[in-house]
Amino acid sequence: MIAAIISTAFLVMTAMFAIQEVGVLHDFFMPMDIAFIDNNHGSDEWFQVRINDGDYLIFSSVFYKKEVINDINNPYDITIRILDENQTIVLKDTTIKLGESINLHCLKYNKNYIVQVKCKPGRYNLNFT
């Protein structure tokens, strides 16, 4: 019984370490997409953001938590909306406060979504997990 407990603990710790340290496993089990926003124009209009150098947000793995986080190091709160490929609004205007997240469970897996934001001038970082 003691050997079973020790071997189980060893397997769990090995798996956790592998997921944390091996890039492919980490990306599969803990996926995250990042949107960098550089707003120099200062206008209060919607503009599309690029996610991982692509035009669309795609939750392609069942391991996504389906949430977006407004990084605590951003200068201000940010307002976000999400549209599908047909320009139909899927998530209405939602303001995300600094360091907080919102739930995106309304989005489906393996579908393309357009993310648009409104924000004050500055550099922003949004994390989609």
Side-chain angles (χ1 to χ4, degrees):
M1 182 140 151
I2 293 173
I5 292 171
I6 291 172
S7 62
T8 302
F10 177 75
L11 284 171
V12 169
M13 290 189 319
T14 303
M16 290 175 60
F17 181 75
I19 289 171
Q20 180 180 346
E21 299 299 326
V22 177
V24 173
L25 292 175
H26 187 273
D27 292 345
F28 181 76
F29 289 109
M30 297 176 184
M32 181 171 73
D33 295 324
I34 300 173
F36 295 107
I37 302 160
D38 197 4
N39 185 1
N40 320 355
H41 50 78
S43 68
D44 199 27
E45 296 180 16
W46 291 105
F47 60 94
Q48 183 174 344
V49 298
R50 294 183 55 81
I51 297 153
N52 290 346
D53 296 326
D55 291 331
Y56 297 107
L57 170 64
I58 305 169
F59 289 120
S60 58
S61 169
V62 295
F63 294 104
Y64 276 100
K65 293 180 193 174
K66 286 190 176 178
E67 68 180 12
V68 58
I69 303 165
N70 184 5
D71 195 283
I72 192 68
N73 296 317
N74 289 341
Y76 303 103
D77 297 345
I78 194 166
T79 303
I80 185 174
R81 76 177 176 188
I82 299 178
L83 300 89
D84 63 14
E85 288 180 300
N86 301 322
Q87 302 292 322
T88 304
I89 296 176
V90 178
L91 178 72
K92 294 186 180 188
D93 311 2
T94 305
T95 300
I96 310 171
K97 297 188 181 292
L98 287 174
E100 294 187 4
S101 65
I102 60 167
N103 179 324
L104 299 176
H105 288 291
C106 61
L107 304 182
K108 296 180 177 151
Y109 289 105
N110 295 318
K111 290 196 81 169
N112 294 336
Y113 292 100
I114 299 167
V115 178
Q116 295 181 336
V117 296
K118 271 190 202 179
C119 54
K120 294 180 181 178
R123 299 186 79 148
Y124 297 84
N125 179 10
L126 290 177
N127 299 316
F128 295 89
T129 61

